[in-house]
Amino acid sequence: MSDTRSRFEVVVVGAGPAGLAAAAAAAECGRRTLVLDATPWLGGQIWRGREAKGGPGSAKRWLARLQAAGAAVARQTTVVASPGPGVLLAESPEGPREIEWEKLILTIGARELFLPFPGWTLPGVVGIGGLQVLVKGGWPLAGKRIVIAGSGPLLFAAAAEYRAAGADVVLIAEQADLARLVRFGLSLPRLAPGKILQAAQYQAALLGVPYRTGCWAVSAQGADRLEGVTLRSARRTWTERCDVLATGFGFLPNLELPRLLGCRTENGAAVVDDRQESSQAGIFIAGEPTGIGGEGRALVEGLIAGFAAAGRPERAGRLWRKRRRALAFSRAMDRAFALRDEVRDLASPETPICRCEDVPRRDLEKYGGWRAAKLHTRCGMGPCQGRICGGAVEKLFGWDAASNRPPVFPVSIGTLREPDPRPSGASD
Amino acid sequence: MSGWDVAVVGAGIVGAACASECARAGLSVIVFDRGPVGGGATAAAMGHVVVMDDSEAQFALTSFSRRLWRDLAPELPADVHFEACGTLWPAADEEEMAEARRKAEFLRGRGLRAEILDEDGIREAEPNLRPGLRGGLLVPDDSVLYPPSAALFLLGRAPRNKIVLRTGADVRALDPDGGVVLGDGSRISAGLTVNAAGCWSPDLTAGLPVRKRKGHLVVTHRYPGHIRHQIVELGYLKSAHSVSSDSVAFNVQPRSNGQMLIGSSRQYGAERPDVEFGILRRMLERAALYLPSLERLTALRSWAGFRPATPDKLPFIGPSADNQKIWLATGHEGLGITTSLATGRLLADMILNRPEEIPSAPYSPARSLPEDKAHD
Ligand SMILES: Cc1cc2nc3c(=O)[nH]c(=O)nc-3n(C[C@H](O)[C@H](O)[C@H](O)COP(=O)(O)OP(=O)(O)OC[C@H]3O[C@@H](n4cnc5c(N)ncnc54)[C@H](O)[C@@H]3O)c2cc1C
Ligand SMILES: Cc1cc2nc3c(=O)[nH]c(=O)nc-3n(C[C@H](O)[C@H](O)[C@H](O)COP(=O)(O)OP(=O)(O)OC[C@H]3O[C@@H](n4cnc5c(N)ncnc54)[C@H](O)[C@@H]3O)c2cc1C
């Protein structure tokens, strides 16, 4: 039995590292806290599905801390809209739920950035994160030849998981130049000693997988599905035969919900103050939506947000210094793995940019901005509502494809419409 | 060129139709819009081309315009998504059935097709409508289209050497001697200026009784064949008439890609463009009453737009009452997609002193208007 309406002092949306930390912190301060997530598990993208198995040390620690703190948990609960001030509307297996909050913490993570290139819509071309999710779900990879192309340390993490699933990882193509990466490596120890260790572990697991820097995928070939990928480096262009091409160009903060709630965003990230509070009083934002920074930054920001939302910012203590270091680390990462212009601009005139409405680059280029292009080509008006092509047009043309209209996720009309006028009351 | 024959302010569907007709008649035309083509009410609309009969004047304009759309249909490019799906008006009870019959008589008496459906007929026409409906009215020659592309097409249809389009150009004022003053202070002179700025037209023509009437819509995932006609409740007539209160009505549209648009709401006095959840819910509640299967279908997005409304529910088409160099083509409320072509044709007829295809007097800006009850 679940009531359709409930009320909490602190509501945390998203149970990734940032959300778990925030909910634990708020509950430790004695606040009646709820943390909810769209998925059936806790842990977000990085600890996805590890809950049952105990997971890596840190996942286990945080889940235990959350439990000890006594926060309520709601799984498979997706926030889709805000029917009024201080209220969220969520879809859950039991039906629509209205959740009232006094303080709100948004820890809704990021999504993969897809950059279109010729052949990117062929079956067999996937995002590295999406493929990780498939692998965790039991998708068979054994014996498959995989090329991984893109940027950033997650290419290694992904390769390690694919290898563990029995895949033959043929090549990791890192678009950034070696010189840059060396500089990044040199600056690492000072910033985050843990990270370099992590990187080394991955590298070890990968022993034998060729890793090329200054190298990127320019096109994918195949009749009905992927057969090969053409790669380019400063010196040469060649084709590698493969069954799967996993691309990872980075992540984009999820900003639909903050925008719907009126929180200010700037340069593709939510604006927050020292206490992680957004431009809307009482709404705190932590983790990826404030800028891509990975697990470490997500945890620190989550804790700060949790303490601040509970009215106990002084308990954040040393965390501020940690956050400064985490921010410096993200900035160093951004610089080291900045996308080269060639990679942003791989789409040919015929390459589809919007998969849903099948809009090629050629049709978009005629327009001076996102709104005109969207109105006249219907780019971004299909099922994904610009969640995928929005990032692509931003990188390709510099257009801002932001939306702030409900629902933030596709949702059944039954959930959106007037809920049954059942009596409201608090419930866990 | 130093002076234009006509300067049009607003590249919504109405401005586009006016500019296109004038240029096709040989006048030189410049069109200004501060946003993209069709980015105002035109972008928010459903695109239902429908004959309405609230008044003889409304019927004259909508039926003439529907004919113009049908004549144009063979020329419309695929991205206008024109489809002659017809309108189905379900009748819930005997009272509405009587209204359906009256409407059918009215249309047939004026030479238009209209068909009365009984209980079985409506079930066959739209199997997903709730059972137990008394019957309905089918108007087969109504249609639907995608308005922003239609506006772009109309502008593109004009001879290239006769028309210039300037988007991203904010018009600050209309020059009483013809032409406009732009946001950067520059002046562009023209023989006459057409204010087609939709619900923003009073910003340029002070005192013009055009008000914003907010409307919400929801778009769904793709469900090809779920509905086959634009379906509008007959009660719409009652709610659309009310000028003072907020109202919702069942109004759904099948799009050619299988998506459905669900409407609609009408509000006065709402100035903010954001989606209002209370209204959205009432609207969906109403829709699910007629189409219970909606409950399980997925909504992708919602939005709101403003209809430019006048006190007598008829647009202003013609020279303004006090200045023959400033013309109006505005105030089309919830029917501007439908009536845009007729507006463009009438306006060009008047400017060029051609015989009018339908009398323009009922739409004259100089006509006397009922008191605007809902104004305060
Ligand atoms: C597909 C993918 C794979 C990744 N894989 C790795 C990896 O292998 N290794 C690594 O180090 N990093 C990985 N990352 C990066 C990872 O996201 C960050 O390092 C870190 O997990 C960020 O933590 P977070 O709490 O900010 O966000 P997340 O971990 O993304 O958590 C956000 C949570 O919010 C939930 N959520 C979002 N919106 C709503 C809503 N409206 N209602 C309810 N719940 C909502 C989501 O379901 C998610 O569980 C991946 C990212 C993505 C997108
Ligand atoms: C939810 C909803 C559903 C609707 N459904 C239908 C339907 O199914 N069928 C139908 O027939 N009608 C429908 N309508 C009504 C229809 O949308 C309008 O009547 C029609 O779009 C009006 O067109 P317009 O060109 O006058 O106005 P707009 O499309 O608003 O165009 C006015 C233009 O003027 C520009 N502008 C304004 N001020 C200035 C300035 N100072 N300088 C430069 N440019 C300026 C604006 O940027 C805008 O592009 C609907 C409306 C709404 C809101």
Side-chain angles (χ1 to χ4, degrees):
Chain A
M1 252 303 295
S2 83
D3 275 301
T4 53
R5 210 176 164 103
S6 51
R7 185 184 177 83
F8 290 88
E9 287 172 301
V10 177
V11 171
V12 182
V13 183
L20 296 180
E28 283 164 6
C29 298
R31 296 284 168 258
R32 258 171 56 77
T33 303
L34 170 73
V35 55
L36 54 85
D37 200 288
T39 66
W41 48 77
L42 304 178
Q45 295 293 355
I46 181 165
W47 299 331
R48 167 189 284 260
R50 304 230 182 117
E51 196 183 341
K53 296 178 209 145
S58 48
K60 208 158 43 189
R61 256 199 332 276
W62 284 99
L63 288 165
R65 181 165 171 188
L66 179 78
Q67 208 172 15
V73 169
R75 298 160 198 263
Q76 284 177 278
T77 304
T78 309
V79 172
V80 291
S82 174
V87 190
L88 297 174
L89 174 68
E91 179 154 69
S92 77
E94 293 85 43
R97 269 188 81 169
E98 285 201 344
I99 300 155
E100 290 176 36
W101 51 268
E102 280 165 31
K103 302 281 186 225
L104 179 64
I105 306 180
L106 301 178
T107 46
I108 50 179
R111 56 169 162 267
E112 284 192 88
L113 166 65
F114 287 95
L115 291 180
F117 52 87
W120 77 291
T121 54
L122 276 172
V125 181
V126 291
I128 56 165
L131 185 57
Q132 279 175 291
V133 173
L134 289 174
V135 169
K136 282 171 185 167
W139 205 62
L141 266 193
K144 294 257 165 67
R145 283 174 62 85
I146 300 191
V147 170
I148 300 176
S151 206
L154 274 187
L155 300 186
F156 290 115
E161 286 192 30
Y162 306 158
R163 282 269 295 234
D168 174 12
V169 180
V170 184
L171 172 71
I172 300 176
E174 165 61 61
Q175 57 92 40
D177 280 324
L178 185 61
R180 271 210 159 137
L181 292 180
V182 168
R183 242 179 289 136
F184 174 69
L186 289 178
S187 65
L188 265 182
R190 212 165 26 92
L191 289 166
K195 292 281 166 182
I196 210 159
L197 192 70
Q198 198 188 356
Q201 279 165 344
Y202 283 134
Q203 305 250 25
L206 280 171
L207 217 61
V209 174
Y211 175 64
R212 286 229 165 88
T213 57
C215 170
W216 63 98
V218 289
S219 66
Q221 292 92 35
D224 322 311
R225 60 166 296 112
L226 181 73
E227 286 159 21
V229 52
T230 299
L231 295 139
R232 181 170 299 161
S233 68
R235 256 172 279 143
R236 64 187 188 119
T237 301
W238 76 103
T239 297
E240 201 78 62
R241 195 171 53 74
C242 62
D243 307 306
V244 177
L245 168 62
T247 62
F249 296 106
F251 298 95
L252 291 172
N254 286 328
L255 295 175
E256 285 87 355
L257 191 52
R259 281 185 171 132
L260 181 75
L261 293 166
C263 305
R264 211 158 67 77
T265 63
E266 213 176 79
N267 302 323
V271 177
V272 290
D273 65 12
D274 269 359
R275 303 156 63 243
Q276 302 296 136
E277 193 162 8
S278 73
S279 64
Q280 292 287 329
I283 302 182
F284 299 76
I285 306 179
E288 308 287 44
T290 67
I292 302 304
E295 178 191 346
R297 174 169 162 190
L299 287 167
V300 181
E301 290 193 355
L303 283 175
I304 294 176
F307 289 130
R312 303 290 304 276
E314 75 284 358
R315 287 185 67 164
R318 290 187 339 271
L319 291 170
W320 275 292
R321 237 187 62 215
K322 271 190 154 172
R323 186 180 56 187
R324 261 199 307 280
R325 253 189 296 152
L327 290 178
F329 178 72
S330 343
R331 274 193 299 271
M333 291 271 283
D334 287 348
R335 273 195 307 275
F337 295 104
L339 292 177
R340 56 172 71 235
D341 290 343
E342 294 100 315
V343 170
R344 290 164 175 261
D345 202 21
L346 286 170
S348 72
E350 298 76 35
T351 306
I353 307 297
C354 172
R355 296 179 83 147
C356 305
E357 296 289 322
D358 198 16
V359 184
R361 174 177 185 160
R362 187 192 326 108
D363 289 1
L364 289 171
E365 264 169 346
K366 291 190 269 197
Y367 300 97
W370 168 244
R371 219 172 112 68
K374 176 174 167 174
L375 282 175
H376 297 302
T377 67
R378 305 186 48 80
C379 182
M381 291 197 185
C384 95
Q385 288 290 303
R387 282 178 190 89
I388 294 171
C389 57
V393 300
E394 196 188 306
K395 300 290 178 212
L396 261 176
F397 309 121
W399 296 344
D400 179 6
S403 161
N404 58 359
R405 293 192 309 249
V408 293
F409 282 113
V411 64
S412 79
I413 288 167
T415 293
L416 272 190
R417 75 173 186 90
E418 201 89 64
D420 295 338
R422 272 195 260 170
S424 82
S427 85
D428 284 344
Chain B
M1 199 184 303
S2 59
W4 303 81
D5 293 329
V6 179
V8 177
V9 184
I13 191 118
V14 171
C18 292
S20 188
E21 278 292 337
C22 289
R24 284 167 60 83
L27 300 171
S28 66
V29 181
I30 184 162
V31 187
F32 300 95
D33 202 299
R34 58 185 167 209
V37 171
T42 300
M46 259 191 171
H48 184 202
V49 175
V50 56
V51 169
M52 294 290 286
D53 61 350
D54 288 4
S55 64
E56 284 290 349
Q58 189 192 54
F59 171 78
L61 196 65
T62 54
S63 57
F64 173 41
S65 209
R66 188 183 76 174
R67 180 157 62 73
L68 294 177
W69 277 116
R70 288 186 75 87
D71 292 347
L72 196 57
E75 272 183 62
L76 294 174
D79 68 0
V80 174
H81 298 282
F82 181 90
E83 253 178 290
C85 60
T87 306
L88 184 68
W89 303 83
D93 51 28
E94 214 31 70
E95 188 193 349
E96 289 188 359
M97 203 58 203
E99 169 63 10
R101 288 202 195 88
R102 186 205 60 75
K103 224 168 144 67
E105 297 284 90
F106 182 96
L107 296 177
R108 286 196 203 119
R110 286 159 181 77
L112 302 186
R113 295 203 292 163
E115 194 183 320
I116 288 292
L117 305 180
D118 61 11
E119 279 167 56
D120 294 341
I122 193 157
R123 200 170 317 125
E124 199 178 314
E126 290 291 353
N128 284 313
L129 280 176
R130 76 157 190 264
L133 289 169
R134 181 60 194 77
L137 166 69
L138 177 65
V139 182
D141 296 324
D142 286 349
S143 51
V144 302
L145 53 79
Y146 177 63
S149 293
L152 201 60
F153 165 77
L154 292 176
L155 290 170
R157 189 170 176 255
R160 269 162 196 267
N161 61 348
K162 288 291 175 194
I163 196 165
V164 165
L165 169 66
R166 289 191 46 190
T167 51
D170 190 13
V171 173
R172 189 199 290 164
L174 307 183
D175 188 334
D177 298 322
V180 300
V181 184
L182 295 182
D184 62 9
S186 62
R187 284 170 183 274
I188 283 131
S189 65
L192 59 89
T193 311
V194 180
N195 181 351
C199 61
W200 301 277
S201 49
D203 299 349
L204 298 171
T205 302
L208 194 63
V210 170
R211 296 199 297 129
K212 291 178 176 167
R213 202 172 189 194
K214 191 169 174 178
H216 287 76
L217 289 182
V218 169
V219 64
T220 71
H221 232 294
R222 292 176 186 164
Y223 301 102
H226 197 83
I227 54 168
R228 301 157 185 171
H229 309 83
Q230 175 110 17
I231 316 177
V232 190
E233 70 166 287
L234 277 167
Y236 192 82
L237 300 164
K238 301 165 200 154
S239 57
H241 266 316
S242 98
V243 286
S244 49
S245 60
D246 297 352
S247 64
V248 297
F250 169 59
N251 188 345
V252 288
Q253 174 175 104
R255 303 209 60 105
S256 56
N257 66 3
Q259 290 182 319
M260 287 188 275
L261 288 180
I262 309 173
S264 62
S265 67
R266 288 167 187 266
Q267 291 167 272
Y268 278 122
E271 288 289 325
R272 289 170 54 107
D274 14 343
V275 169
E276 292 165 58
F277 220 78
I279 296 283
L280 196 69
R281 285 183 153 173
R282 279 176 56 198
M283 191 174 95
L284 292 173
E285 178 76 17
R286 187 83 195 155
L289 199 65
Y290 279 84
L291 205 60
S293 52
L294 280 182
E295 198 87 353
R296 286 173 286 107
L297 307 188
T298 299
L300 294 181
R301 244 339 169 243
S302 63
W303 62 85
F306 295 105
R307 306 174 182 91
T310 66
D312 63 357
K313 316 197 66 54
L314 293 173
F316 297 122
I317 309 170
S320 59
D322 50 5
N323 184 340
Q324 298 292 307
K325 290 195 176 247
I326 295 181
W327 289 52
L328 300 174
T330 182
H332 293 70
E333 216 211 299
L335 288 169
I337 309 303
T338 304
T339 54
S340 55
L341 292 186
T343 300
R345 184 66 63 84
L346 266 187
L347 189 97
D349 287 346
M350 283 187 261
I351 291 175
L352 295 162
N353 281 314
R354 296 188 306 211
E356 292 168 1
E357 286 180 67
I358 59 168
S360 65
Y363 324 108
S364 162
R367 71 184 181 264
S368 68
L369 291 164
E371 217 176 301
D372 199 349
K373 281 186 244 98
H375 209 81
D376 29 35

